[in-house]
Amino acid sequence: MGPQKADLLKKELALFTFKDLLEHYPLRHLDKTKVDKIKELNYNTDYAQVAGKLTYFEVLGERQSKRLVAYLKDDTGEIELVWFQGINWIQKTLETGHLYLVFGKIGSFNGKLQITHPELEPYSAEKAGGKSFLDPIYPSTEKLKARGLNGRAFAKLTYALLQMLSAKDLPENLPEPVIKQYRFISRWEAVCHIHFPSSEEMYQHAVRRIKFEELFFAQVRLGLRRSERHRFSRGFSFEKVGEHFNSFYNNYLPFELTNAQKRVLKEIRKDVGSGRQMNRLLQGDVGSGKTIVALLSMLLATDNRRPEDQQPFQTVLMAPTEILAQQHFNSIENLLKDLPVCVKLLTGSSKGKARKEIVSGCEDGTVHILIGTHAVIEEKVVFKNLGFAVVDEQHKFGVAQRAALWKKNSIPPHVLVMTATPIPRTLALTAYGDLDYSVIDELPPGRQPINTIHRFENKRPMVMDFLREEIAKGRQAYIVYPLIEESSKVDYENLMKGYEEVKSFFPEPKYWISMVHGRQPAEQKETNMQRFVKNDTQIMVSTTVIEVGVNVPNASLMVIESAEKFGLSQLHQLRGRVGRGSEKSFCILLTGSKVSKDARERLNIMCATNDGFKIAEKDLEIRGPGDIEGTRQSGVLNFKLASIIQDKTMVEVAKEIVTTILEEDPDLNMAVNLPVKNHLQTHRAKTVWSKIS
Ligand code: ADP
Ligand code: MG
């Protein structure tokens, strides 16, 4: 290949090496014997392959609307083909009266079926007759196509390359027992058959093997990192369970812990007693009781002292919003009021003398538990001896903020990261696979499922009547407005309009309404929130600032306005604000009359289940892993063939195998001369390591 084309391959598809080319997998394989009849295509057809005579073509329109239109006719009908790009060179390849095989996505324009940007190649009926050809078609780009490198042409390159290579150039890279047990074909076979399969069956074998390889090596990378951390990251050792913990556990714990909570507490206890730094992800559904687990873990820390100077360990709890920090502070301070533990709150609105006192208390060690927003990780906040840090509702914080916590002591404190809503298991195993993780998979007893209903806008008066009835019984209600953009004027106007409207629905003096949103000063937010907490107000009109963590057990009703604008996990998180008391709770999803297909699916899922783990799975299915916060930059999910959605089982299997291997050989020392290690060293080792370290 000449230098210009090679350059284009680098620019367009990031193909630099032979290996890159081998891993540029076909999109699909052309089976020339499978041809659709044009007459049988309809609006529900997704992709089609048709063969016929090109009857006519012409270039229409100017500039943006310039397009090449052609007509293909078989013995059942005629279909339109359209190109908007690459018109010049495609035009040159077309000849009226000739036979073509055409593949593409069926669409429609002005009620007529058409194929836009189809793949097209000369066709001869005899050649296709009988025997099945599985010719690979590769992803390409318009620029490459214009230079003659279309989806078909790649096949010639790959074929030529494979001719130059042999099995010894691609030695086995999976452990032999694994290959045996799962009946994988060899690496060399897989590479050959993924490109040029001898049969559909061999193709499937190749796909299976390559997907597994991708998932396996991702787990090796994550696992190595994890086991390295386990062995080399020195951490404080909390050896004893002392007075704070015991006294609280025996006398002040307001309820019996669920089995899941107990199990997780044991896992944490084991970590913090091991002498290595803990880095643990704690996930559990909304309302599963993560906070109390965090609190008990923090008491473990305050019960222990640094060996050198007998200085007790301090702990910090970081929450994503002021409201939530305040609320954690209120409840924790109250729970610990009879214990000799000093709890303080530090947020952006802690000012002046009060702030100075708290900060110096952290510095001289008199503050034992600091609760706050990201204000707690500011450089000016110095701890005498920070031993344990809890990050609540992880998805609101970035990696950088977590890292800042590490630097708050000479040896990094233990870190417990709690998620706001569950993460699907496969995602936890991949995107967060370098953390250890615990799950609270059980709700406290006596929780009633929340009754969730979807209503259209025009039913608003009835919804309000229902609210009125429930409030008359002594309940409280949230009415939540979407705030997509913190700065969006329209969203705020809607909120204000909504507030006025709610007031007009409840004109009687006995109904009191609070409003909370992000533009209010912190004190005002807090006052309004507290009025609602104390049941001085019955209705809380708010934006999603109440999304995370807020706990008002008497509130049993939630109306979500414009519910179609929210994502699944956000809806679930919002809904989790109700159903926290003994009363039957309701969540009403209000939408306009027009709801997109995706939004409708989200609403249906919300109405069908209360299970956050199921919702998280669905969310992943609908949105794909790329959209889930914090995963894109992790680079762990950039698989070429594997999908953590479709190949869930394989993710599990890979994880299990790698865990077993690393338990026996945490450094992969035994694998030094084995391909596993070689693979790690050569397989873009540099970029991979720089990405994950
Ligand atoms: P989340 O996991 O969403 O942060 P919280 O920690 O806020 O949940 O707990 C939700 C509610 O459940 C709180 O009111 C808490 O006091 C209560 N709770 C937690 N654990 C238990 C338990 N084992 N039994 C009864 N109630 C519990
Ligand atoms: Mg919480």
Side-chain angles (χ1 to χ4, degrees):
M1 176 178 296
Q4 280 187 346
K5 254 190 196 172
D7 233 32
L8 208 54
L9 273 188
K10 288 177 199 167
K11 283 202 191 102
E12 293 284 299
L13 293 170
L15 301 181
F16 291 82
T17 64
F18 284 171
K19 185 161 189 302
D20 292 338
L21 186 60
L22 285 183
E23 287 176 2
H24 187 60
Y25 300 124
L27 280 174
R28 63 184 190 94
H29 287 85
L30 192 63
D31 182 345
K32 289 182 187 165
T33 57
K34 285 187 190 147
V35 177
D36 300 307
K37 295 283 174 215
I38 291 176
K39 195 179 71 183
E40 282 157 20
L41 304 178
N42 60 51
Y43 295 99
N44 298 321
T45 317
D46 203 7
Y47 284 90
Q49 177 162 287
V50 291
K53 195 179 273 178
L54 195 78
T55 52
Y56 176 73
F57 67 90
E58 65 175 333
V59 177
L60 297 170
E62 296 277 330
R63 295 207 179 92
Q64 261 100 318
S65 64
K66 189 171 171 183
R67 63 202 185 274
L68 170 64
V69 179
Y71 294 89
L72 190 85
K73 193 169 185 271
D74 70 4
D75 40 12
T76 68
E78 194 171 51
I79 190 159
E80 191 176 280
L81 315 173
V82 186
W83 291 265
F84 296 96
Q85 279 159 353
I87 294 177
N88 289 340
W89 68 266
I90 292 162
Q91 203 179 354
K92 280 185 209 144
T93 65
L94 297 182
E95 280 198 62
T96 10
H98 283 211
L99 290 173
Y100 291 91
L101 185 68
V102 170
F103 175 87
K105 195 170 166 55
I106 299 292
S108 70
F109 184 70
N110 283 342
K112 246 174 38 194
L113 289 186
Q114 58 168 219
I115 308 182
T116 318
H117 281 258
E119 290 165 24
L120 170 139
E121 64 170 281
Y123 179 75
S124 79
E126 315 85 75
K127 205 177 150 197
K131 188 164 167 288
S132 153
F133 292 81
L134 290 169
D135 287 348
I137 306 288
Y138 292 84
S140 185
T141 67
E142 291 308 322
K143 273 197 183 135
L144 285 167
K145 283 178 192 169
R147 301 293 302 274
L149 269 175
N150 63 15
R152 295 296 310 275
F154 266 100
K156 292 196 192 88
L157 286 180
T158 312
Y159 189 79
L161 176 56
L162 283 172
Q163 292 299 307
M164 289 160 54
L165 300 174
S166 68
K168 67 176 185 328
D169 295 307
L170 288 169
E172 193 46 70
N173 58 358
L174 290 176
E176 204 182 300
V178 175
I179 294 182
K180 282 222 170 92
Q181 188 182 349
Y182 292 93
R183 293 164 202 267
F184 288 124
I185 58 174
S186 75
R187 185 178 179 205
W188 168 248
E189 280 178 302
V191 170
C192 291
H193 288 280
I194 193 93
H195 292 286
F196 301 98
S198 58
S199 65
E200 175 66 28
E201 199 193 341
M202 280 313 287
Y203 177 70
Q204 292 308 337
H205 276 301
V207 168
R208 184 167 162 271
R209 148 100 207 196
I210 291 171
K211 280 183 172 181
F212 182 81
E213 242 181 77
E214 288 180 346
L215 294 170
F216 179 84
F217 286 106
Q219 288 300 333
V220 170
R221 290 194 292 274
L222 290 163
L224 271 182
R225 209 182 153 192
R226 203 172 45 231
S227 72
E228 202 164 283
R229 204 188 65 232
H230 283 174
R231 283 169 313 130
F232 301 120
S233 68
R234 206 150 67 87
F236 299 116
S237 182
F238 301 162
E239 269 148 24
K240 67 171 187 190
V241 179
E243 202 182 315
H244 296 148
F245 185 97
N246 283 329
S247 148
F248 179 74
Y249 197 93
N250 297 327
N251 307 315
Y252 302 105
L253 194 62
F255 35 69
E256 162 118 29
L257 293 185
T258 61
N259 287 330
Q261 286 170 319
K262 286 182 190 161
R263 190 190 63 234
V264 169
L265 203 57
K266 269 194 204 130
E267 289 165 352
I268 293 171
R269 168 94 214 286
K270 193 168 158 224
D271 273 8
V272 297
S274 69
R276 302 181 307 245
Q277 187 215 8
M278 175 176 81
N279 243 306
R280 189 167 276 278
L281 180 73
L282 170 56
Q283 64 158 327
D285 206 346
V286 177
S288 62
K290 296 182 286 281
T291 320
I292 200 78
V293 172
L295 176 57
L296 284 161
S297 314
M298 293 197 286
L299 291 178
L300 271 180
T302 59
D303 267 339
N304 282 274
R305 288 163 188 273
R306 183 159 55 192
E308 300 93 278
D309 56 2
Q310 289 305 304
Q311 182 65 38
F313 287 108
Q314 295 164 288
T315 75
V316 64
L317 167 62
M318 179 160 82
T321 63
E322 292 224 20
I323 291 182
L324 196 55
Q326 178 77 50
Q327 190 179 287
H328 277 321
F329 174 72
N330 294 348
S331 72
I332 289 175
E333 195 193 32
N334 186 42
L335 285 167
L336 301 182
K337 64 177 182 294
D338 295 325
L339 294 183
V341 178
C342 172
V343 187
K344 292 286 177 199
L345 176 71
L346 183 72
T347 68
S349 41
S350 320
K351 295 262 154 67
K353 200 169 146 237
R355 182 189 180 87
K356 265 199 188 131
E357 269 175 33
I358 297 166
V359 171
S360 70
C362 293
E363 199 165 354
D364 64 23
T366 48
V367 170
H368 302 122
I369 295 181
L370 182 69
I371 295 169
T373 53
H374 50 263
V376 302
I377 49 170
E378 280 168 21
E379 254 173 65
K380 285 190 196 115
V381 183
V382 178
F383 293 87
K384 178 97 180 181
N385 183 25
L386 185 66
F388 192 97
V390 180
V391 183
D392 194 14
E393 321 292 359
Q394 125 98 16
H395 73 269
K396 302 273 165 175
F397 292 110
V399 178
Q401 282 155 320
R402 243 191 296 157
L405 282 170
W406 286 41
K407 303 202 184 98
K408 294 271 178 197
N409 207 343
S410 53
I411 293 179
H414 298 293
V415 179
L416 181 68
V417 172
M418 305 198 286
T419 62
T421 49
I423 301 169
R425 197 174 141 72
T426 44
L427 197 59
L429 289 183
T430 45
Y432 300 96
D434 56 331
L435 300 178
D436 296 302
Y437 98 116
S438 296
V439 192
I440 304 185
D441 48 7
E442 181 186 1
L443 292 180
R447 289 280 161 79
Q448 296 188 49
I450 300 156
N451 205 343
T452 305
I453 310 150
H454 169 212
R455 289 283 178 268
F456 290 107
E457 178 69 40
N458 57 3
K459 294 277 161 55
R460 182 186 301 274
M462 284 156 80
V463 170
M464 290 301 156
D465 285 344
F466 176 68
L467 236 61
R468 175 189 298 278
E469 280 168 31
E470 290 290 310
I471 290 171
K473 292 184 204 158
R475 318 271 171 274
Q476 289 166 277
Y478 295 100
I479 302 179
V480 184
Y481 283 80
L483 192 64
I484 310 304
E485 292 272 339
E486 195 58 39
S487 56
S488 158
K489 228 175 126 190
V490 182
D491 285 344
Y492 271 102
E493 280 168 8
N494 283 342
L495 173 71
M496 297 307 160
K497 260 199 344 236
Y499 179 57
E500 293 304 322
E501 206 179 2
V502 175
K503 279 208 285 199
S504 72
F505 270 109
F506 295 91
E508 304 92 319
K510 63 179 172 181
Y511 296 116
W512 292 88
I513 304 169
S514 285
M515 179 163 65
V516 167
H517 59 76
R519 283 192 182 177
Q520 290 166 332
E523 303 97 83
Q524 192 184 347
K525 248 190 282 185
E526 178 48 26
T527 314
N528 292 350
M529 197 64 223
Q530 282 309 321
R531 289 179 69 204
F532 188 67
V533 171
K534 291 195 197 112
N535 201 356
D536 291 343
T537 64
Q538 290 72 50
I539 300 173
M540 165 63 80
V541 175
S542 83
T543 61
T544 51
V545 292
I546 61 120
E547 174 189 345
V548 277
V550 169
N551 193 23
V552 182
N554 188 49
S556 59
L557 300 158
M558 172 165 286
V559 177
I560 302 179
E561 297 277 350
S562 308
E564 74 274 17
K565 292 191 185 166
F566 292 94
L568 261 182
S569 76
Q570 207 177 17
L571 285 173
H572 180 62
Q573 182 64 41
L574 279 169
R575 178 171 64 179
R577 301 310 104 216
V578 296
R580 304 191 144 236
S582 49
E583 297 305 328
K584 176 91 197 133
S585 293
F586 298 88
C587 175
I588 301 166
L589 307 170
L590 270 181
T591 71
S593 54
K594 263 206 189 131
V595 178
S596 73
K597 194 168 149 257
D598 271 8
R600 192 178 292 269
E601 199 177 338
R602 291 197 294 272
L603 299 169
N604 287 343
I605 294 163
M606 288 300 294
C607 295
T609 181
N610 276 283
D611 183 337
F613 286 90
K614 274 191 198 146
I615 291 171
E617 291 277 338
K618 278 286 174 195
D619 199 24
L620 181 62
E621 265 171 46
I622 296 174
R623 292 200 296 165
D627 281 340
I628 309 263
E629 269 166 289
T631 60
R632 194 186 285 277
Q633 64 271 41
S634 75
V636 193
L637 297 176
N638 296 337
F639 301 121
K640 290 204 159 73
L641 288 186
S643 144
I644 64 163
I645 299 160
Q646 274 112 50
D647 307 313
K648 268 192 235 171
T649 330
M650 223 187 244
V651 175
E652 299 268 354
V653 171
K655 156 88 184 175
E656 216 177 290
I657 293 173
V658 171
T659 307
T660 322
I661 294 176
L662 288 175
E663 263 164 22
E664 275 174 35
D665 183 13
D667 222 4
L668 291 186
N669 277 328
M670 292 187 279
V672 166
N673 293 316
L674 291 177
V676 178
K677 190 91 178 193
N678 290 341
H679 184 86
L680 280 176
Q681 277 157 2
T682 55
H683 181 82
R684 293 192 206 158
K686 285 205 178 110
T687 45
V688 168
W689 283 111
S690 68
K691 251 184 217 160
I692 65 175
S693 48

mmCIF file of all heavy atoms in Angstrom, residues 30 83 107 111 243 257 403 449 489 501 520 526 544 640:
data_model
loop_
_atom_site.group_PDB
_atom_site.id
_atom_site.type_symbol
_atom_site.label_atom_id
_atom_site.label_comp_id
_atom_site.label_asym_id
_atom_site.label_seq_id
_atom_site.Cartn_x
_atom_site.Cartn_y
_atom_site.Cartn_z
ATOM 1 N N LEU A 30 -21.135 -11.309 3.527
ATOM 2 C CA LEU A 30 -22.072 -11.298 2.425
ATOM 3 C C LEU A 30 -22.344 -12.735 2.004
ATOM 4 O O LEU A 30 -21.430 -13.477 1.673
ATOM 5 C CB LEU A 30 -21.406 -10.548 1.277
ATOM 6 C CG LEU A 30 -22.250 -10.147 0.110
ATOM 7 C CD1 LEU A 30 -23.322 -9.175 0.573
ATOM 8 C CD2 LEU A 30 -21.357 -9.490 -0.928
ATOM 9 N N TRP A 83 -27.634 8.325 -2.639
ATOM 10 C CA TRP A 83 -26.351 8.683 -2.002
ATOM 11 C C TRP A 83 -26.274 10.202 -1.848
ATOM 12 O O TRP A 83 -26.627 10.930 -2.768
ATOM 13 C CB TRP A 83 -25.164 8.251 -2.854
ATOM 14 C CG TRP A 83 -24.959 6.772 -2.959
ATOM 15 C CD1 TRP A 83 -24.133 6.017 -2.193
ATOM 16 C CD2 TRP A 83 -25.547 5.875 -3.907
ATOM 17 N NE1 TRP A 83 -24.166 4.706 -2.588
ATOM 18 C CE2 TRP A 83 -25.037 4.583 -3.644
ATOM 19 C CE3 TRP A 83 -26.471 6.022 -4.950
ATOM 20 C CZ2 TRP A 83 -25.396 3.461 -4.385
ATOM 21 C CZ3 TRP A 83 -26.842 4.911 -5.680
ATOM 22 C CH2 TRP A 83 -26.304 3.647 -5.399
ATOM 23 N N GLY A 107 -35.202 2.468 4.363
ATOM 24 C CA GLY A 107 -35.820 3.654 4.954
ATOM 25 C C GLY A 107 -36.940 4.088 4.042
ATOM 26 O O GLY A 107 -37.259 3.411 3.057
ATOM 27 N N GLY A 111 -43.039 8.537 1.694
ATOM 28 C CA GLY A 111 -43.870 7.352 1.570
ATOM 29 C C GLY A 111 -43.325 6.276 0.647
ATOM 30 O O GLY A 111 -43.964 5.258 0.416
ATOM 31 N N GLU A 243 -14.981 0.796 71.997
ATOM 32 C CA GLU A 243 -16.076 1.293 72.814
ATOM 33 C C GLU A 243 -17.140 2.024 71.995
ATOM 34 O O GLU A 243 -18.326 1.830 72.189
ATOM 35 C CB GLU A 243 -15.467 2.256 73.827
ATOM 36 C CG GLU A 243 -16.298 2.475 75.055
ATOM 37 C CD GLU A 243 -15.592 3.499 75.936
ATOM 38 O OE1 GLU A 243 -14.357 3.360 76.100
ATOM 39 O OE2 GLU A 243 -16.259 4.425 76.399
ATOM 40 N N LEU A 257 -29.925 -4.671 62.135
ATOM 41 C CA LEU A 257 -29.378 -4.623 60.772
ATOM 42 C C LEU A 257 -29.920 -5.781 59.946
ATOM 43 O O LEU A 257 -30.179 -6.856 60.479
ATOM 44 C CB LEU A 257 -27.852 -4.711 60.793
ATOM 45 C CG LEU A 257 -27.061 -3.562 61.398
ATOM 46 C CD1 LEU A 257 -25.567 -3.800 61.204
ATOM 47 C CD2 LEU A 257 -27.462 -2.227 60.789
ATOM 48 N N ALA A 403 -9.395 11.033 44.536
ATOM 49 C CA ALA A 403 -7.939 11.013 44.680
ATOM 50 C C ALA A 403 -7.485 12.031 45.726
ATOM 51 O O ALA A 403 -6.534 11.787 46.469
ATOM 52 C CB ALA A 403 -7.280 11.289 43.341
ATOM 53 N N PRO A 449 -43.919 -1.850 48.478
ATOM 54 C CA PRO A 449 -43.564 -1.330 47.155
ATOM 55 C C PRO A 449 -44.324 -0.026 46.875
ATOM 56 O O PRO A 449 -45.452 0.157 47.328
ATOM 57 C CB PRO A 449 -44.002 -2.436 46.201
ATOM 58 C CG PRO A 449 -44.847 -3.370 46.988
ATOM 59 C CD PRO A 449 -44.511 -3.175 48.426
ATOM 60 N N LYS A 489 -33.180 29.041 31.720
ATOM 61 C CA LYS A 489 -34.219 29.967 32.145
ATOM 62 C C LYS A 489 -35.594 29.308 32.040
ATOM 63 O O LYS A 489 -36.431 29.446 32.908
ATOM 64 C CB LYS A 489 -34.176 31.199 31.235
ATOM 65 C CG LYS A 489 -34.195 32.504 32.011
ATOM 66 C CD LYS A 489 -34.028 33.678 31.085
ATOM 67 C CE LYS A 489 -35.153 34.658 31.293
ATOM 68 N NZ LYS A 489 -35.197 35.709 30.274
ATOM 69 N N GLU A 501 -49.119 27.349 40.225
ATOM 70 C CA GLU A 501 -50.246 26.481 39.903
ATOM 71 C C GLU A 501 -50.612 25.598 41.094
ATOM 72 O O GLU A 501 -51.785 25.432 41.432
ATOM 73 C CB GLU A 501 -49.882 25.609 38.699
ATOM 74 C CG GLU A 501 -51.088 25.151 37.916
ATOM 75 C CD GLU A 501 -50.660 24.311 36.710
ATOM 76 O OE1 GLU A 501 -49.448 24.078 36.543
ATOM 77 O OE2 GLU A 501 -51.541 23.887 35.962
ATOM 78 N N GLN A 520 -31.482 28.989 45.084
ATOM 79 C CA GLN A 520 -31.675 29.618 46.390
ATOM 80 C C GLN A 520 -30.370 29.593 47.164
ATOM 81 O O GLN A 520 -29.575 28.679 47.015
ATOM 82 C CB GLN A 520 -32.726 28.842 47.191
ATOM 83 C CG GLN A 520 -34.123 28.981 46.642
ATOM 84 C CD GLN A 520 -35.073 27.949 47.230
ATOM 85 O OE1 GLN A 520 -34.651 26.860 47.624
ATOM 86 N NE2 GLN A 520 -36.345 28.305 47.284
ATOM 87 N N GLU A 526 -32.119 25.253 53.117
ATOM 88 C CA GLU A 526 -32.119 24.464 54.330
ATOM 89 C C GLU A 526 -33.368 24.745 55.174
ATOM 90 O O GLU A 526 -34.013 23.827 55.674
ATOM 91 C CB GLU A 526 -30.825 24.755 55.106
ATOM 92 C CG GLU A 526 -30.666 24.044 56.427
ATOM 93 C CD GLU A 526 -30.954 22.550 56.358
ATOM 94 O OE1 GLU A 526 -30.797 21.958 55.281
ATOM 95 O OE2 GLU A 526 -31.353 21.984 57.394
ATOM 96 N N THR A 544 -34.621 18.719 41.015
ATOM 97 C CA THR A 544 -34.002 17.452 41.390
ATOM 98 C C THR A 544 -32.978 17.592 42.507
ATOM 99 O O THR A 544 -32.285 16.635 42.817
ATOM 100 C CB THR A 544 -33.324 16.812 40.172
ATOM 101 O OG1 THR A 544 -32.495 17.801 39.587
ATOM 102 C CG2 THR A 544 -34.330 16.336 39.181
ATOM 103 N N LYS A 640 -14.086 -4.496 21.062
ATOM 104 C CA LYS A 640 -14.413 -4.456 19.640
ATOM 105 C C LYS A 640 -15.625 -5.339 19.340
ATOM 106 O O LYS A 640 -16.496 -4.976 18.570
ATOM 107 C CB LYS A 640 -13.216 -4.933 18.821
ATOM 108 C CG LYS A 640 -12.079 -3.936 18.852
ATOM 109 C CD LYS A 640 -11.198 -4.112 17.617
ATOM 110 C CE LYS A 640 -10.372 -2.879 17.326
ATOM 111 N NZ LYS A 640 -9.267 -2.708 18.273
#
